[in-house]
Amino acid sequence: MTQIIPPRNPNQEDEEKRFYVTAKRSVKLHLEQEAFDRGTDVWTLGGLVIEAWLKAGCPDFGFSGQPPVSENPPPSSSPSQLADDQGGAE
């Protein structure tokens, strides 16, 4: 019997599923407190945070070990410009 890959079904129901993640105890407590403060439960808030992170393209938030790259680096400062910014050069 030959198995074929079934075609994609564009009308799939996107039902909610719980799954487990691992975090430090202090992170879990902080998430529980934040969920309480927002009037929701830890599962819902955690899922919404993960969903927002995925929709944002999974940004590193500075945790990659590399310095963040700015799309608009600040202009280079010359010594005279720094003096002007600090009250003027003599």
Side-chain angles (χ1 to χ4, degrees):
M1 183 173 165
T2 303
Q3 295 279 330
I4 62 169
I5 298 173
R8 289 188 173 150
N9 183 353
N11 299 323
Q12 293 287 340
E13 183 179 333
D14 194 10
E15 61 188 62
E16 291 187 2
K17 294 281 186 177
R18 283 193 177 185
F19 64 95
Y20 296 93
V21 296
T22 302
K24 293 179 183 178
R25 218 179 302 179
S26 60
V27 172
K28 180 181 180 279
L29 288 172
H30 191 111
L31 186 62
E32 287 174 332
Q33 182 63 51
E34 191 64 33
F36 177 81
D37 291 346
R38 292 176 180 266
T40 188
D41 62 272
V42 70
W43 296 102
T44 301
L45 181 59
L48 291 170
V49 168
I50 292 170
E51 182 180 352
W53 178 71
L54 289 168
K55 285 180 178 178
C58 306
D60 289 336
F61 294 122
F63 298 118
S64 67
Q66 298 177 0
V69 177
S70 173
E71 292 182 16
N72 297 316
S76 62
S77 297
S78 67
S80 63
Q81 183 181 10
L82 286 175
D84 290 340
D85 292 343
Q86 296 174 356
E90 294 185 26

